[in-house]
Coordinates of all heavy atoms in Angstrom, one line a residue:
Chain A
A1 N -6.4 9.9 -11.7 CA -6.1 8.6 -11.3 C -5.1 8.5 -10.2 O -4.3 9.4 -10.1 CB -5.6 7.8 -12.5
V4 N 0.5 4.3 -6.6 CA 1.4 4.2 -5.5 C 2.7 3.5 -6.0 O 2.6 2.6 -6.7 CB 0.8 3.3 -4.4 CG1 1.7 3.1 -3.2 CG2 -0.6 3.9 -3.9
G8 N 11.9 -0.1 -3.6 CA 12.5 -1.3 -3.0 C 11.6 -2.4 -2.9 O 10.7 -2.4 -2.1
H10 N 12.6 -5.4 -2.0 CA 13.1 -6.1 -0.8 C 14.0 -5.2 0.0 O 14.7 -4.4 -0.5 CB 14.0 -7.2 -1.3 CG 13.3 -8.3 -2.1 ND1 13.1 -8.2 -3.4 CD2 12.7 -9.5 -1.7 CE1 12.5 -9.2 -3.8 NE2 12.2 -10.0 -2.9
V19 N 13.7 0.4 10.8 CA 13.0 -0.1 9.6 C 12.5 1.2 8.9 O 11.9 2.0 9.5 CB 11.9 -1.0 9.9 CG1 11.1 -1.4 8.6 CG2 12.3 -2.3 10.6
L21 N 10.5 1.8 5.2 CA 9.9 1.4 3.9 C 9.3 2.6 3.3 O 8.5 3.3 3.9 CB 8.9 0.3 4.2 CG 9.3 -0.9 5.0 CD1 8.2 -1.9 5.1 CD2 10.5 -1.6 4.4
S26 N 0.5 9.2 -5.9 CA 0.0 10.2 -6.8 C -1.6 10.2 -6.7 O -2.2 9.1 -6.8 CB 0.4 9.9 -8.3 OG -0.3 10.7 -9.2
P30 N -7.4 14.9 -2.4 CA -6.8 14.5 -1.1 C -6.9 13.1 -0.8 O -8.0 12.5 -1.0 CB -7.6 15.4 -0.1 CG -8.1 16.5 -0.9 CD -8.4 16.0 -2.2
Y39 N 1.4 -11.4 6.3 CA 2.3 -12.5 6.7 C 2.0 -13.7 5.7 O 1.0 -13.8 5.1 CB 2.0 -12.9 8.1 CG 2.3 -11.8 9.1 CD1 1.3 -11.0 9.6 CD2 3.6 -11.5 9.4 CE1 1.6 -10.0 10.5 CE2 3.9 -10.4 10.3 CZ 2.9 -9.7 10.8 OH 3.1 -8.6 11.6
N41 N 0.9 -16.7 3.7 CA -0.4 -17.5 3.6 C -1.5 -16.9 4.4 O -2.4 -17.6 4.9 CB -0.1 -18.9 4.1 CG 0.9 -19.6 3.2 OD1 0.8 -19.6 2.0 ND2 1.8 -20.3 3.8
Q42 N -1.4 -15.6 4.5 CA -2.5 -14.9 5.2 C -3.1 -13.7 4.4 O -2.4 -13.3 3.4 CB -2.1 -14.3 6.6 CG -1.7 -15.4 7.6 CD -1.5 -14.8 8.9 OE1 -1.9 -13.8 9.3 NE2 -0.7 -15.6 9.7
G43 N -4.2 -13.2 4.8 CA -4.7 -12.0 4.2 C -3.9 -10.7 4.7 O -3.1 -10.8 5.5
K58 N 0.4 6.7 14.2 CA 1.0 5.5 14.8 C 0.1 4.4 14.6 O -1.2 4.5 14.5 CB 1.1 5.8 16.3 CG 2.2 6.9 16.6 CD 2.4 7.0 18.1 CE 3.3 8.2 18.4 NZ 4.6 8.2 17.7
G62 N 4.3 -1.0 16.9 CA 5.4 0.0 17.0 C 5.7 0.8 15.7 O 6.7 1.5 15.6
F63 N 4.9 0.5 14.6 CA 5.1 1.2 13.4 C 4.4 2.6 13.4 O 3.5 2.9 14.1 CB 4.5 0.4 12.2 CG 5.3 -0.8 11.8 CD1 5.1 -2.0 12.4 CD2 6.4 -0.7 10.9 CE1 5.9 -3.1 12.0 CE2 7.2 -1.8 10.6 CZ 6.9 -3.0 11.1
F67 N 2.7 11.5 6.8 CA 2.2 12.1 5.6 C 2.9 13.4 5.2 O 2.8 14.3 6.0 CB 0.7 12.2 5.7 CG 0.0 13.0 4.5 CD1 0.2 12.5 3.2 CD2 -0.7 14.2 4.8 CE1 -0.5 13.2 2.2 CE2 -1.3 14.8 3.8 CZ -1.2 14.4 2.5
S70 N 3.9 17.8 0.5 CA 4.8 18.4 -0.4 C 5.7 17.4 -1.1 O 6.2 17.7 -2.2 CB 5.7 19.4 0.4 OG 6.5 18.7 1.3
T72 N 4.7 14.2 -1.5 CA 3.7 13.1 -1.8 C 4.2 11.7 -1.3 O 4.3 10.7 -2.1 CB 3.4 13.0 -3.4 OG1 4.6 12.8 -4.1 CG2 2.7 14.3 -3.8
F74 N 4.6 8.8 2.1 CA 4.0 8.2 3.3 C 4.8 7.1 3.7 O 4.5 5.9 3.6 CB 2.5 7.8 3.0 CG 1.7 7.4 4.2 CD1 1.5 8.3 5.2 CD2 1.1 6.2 4.3 CE1 0.7 8.0 6.3 CE2 0.3 5.8 5.4 CZ 0.1 6.8 6.4
D85 N 8.7 -9.0 12.6 CA 8.3 -8.0 11.6 C 8.5 -8.5 10.1 O 8.1 -7.8 9.2 CB 9.1 -6.7 11.8 CG 8.7 -6.0 13.1 OD1 7.6 -6.1 13.5 OD2 9.6 -5.4 13.7
F90 N 2.5 -3.4 2.2 CA 1.9 -2.8 1.1 C 1.4 -1.3 1.5 O 0.7 -1.2 2.5 CB 0.6 -3.5 0.6 CG 1.0 -4.9 0.0 CD1 1.0 -6.0 0.8 CD2 1.2 -5.0 -1.3 CE1 1.3 -7.2 0.3 CE2 1.5 -6.2 -1.9 CZ 1.6 -7.3 -1.1
G97 N -13.0 11.3 -0.9 CA -14.4 11.5 -1.2 C -15.3 10.3 -1.0 O -16.4 10.2 -1.5
I103 N -6.0 1.5 -4.3 CA -4.9 1.1 -5.2 C -3.7 0.7 -4.3 O -3.4 1.5 -3.4 CB -4.6 2.2 -6.1 CG1 -5.8 2.6 -7.0 CG2 -3.4 1.7 -7.1 CD1 -6.4 1.5 -7.8
R109 N 9.1 -6.5 0.5 CA 9.3 -7.7 1.4 C 10.4 -7.3 2.4 O 11.5 -6.9 2.0 CB 9.8 -8.9 0.6 CG 10.1 -10.1 1.4 CD 8.8 -10.7 2.0 NE 9.0 -11.8 2.9 CZ 9.1 -13.1 2.5 NH1 9.1 -13.4 1.3 NH2 9.3 -14.0 3.5
A114 N 19.0 -12.0 12.2 CA 19.3 -12.1 13.6 C 20.7 -11.5 13.9 O 21.6 -11.5 13.0 CB 19.3 -13.6 14.0

Side-chain angles (χ1 to χ4, degrees):
Chain A
V4 177
H10 297 85
V19 175
L21 304 183
S26 170
Y39 298 103
N41 299 314
Q42 293 187 24
K58 295 186 187 300
F63 284 94
F67 169 57
S70 61
T72 60
F74 191 57
D85 293 328
F90 293 91
I103 303 300
R109 181 71 188 271

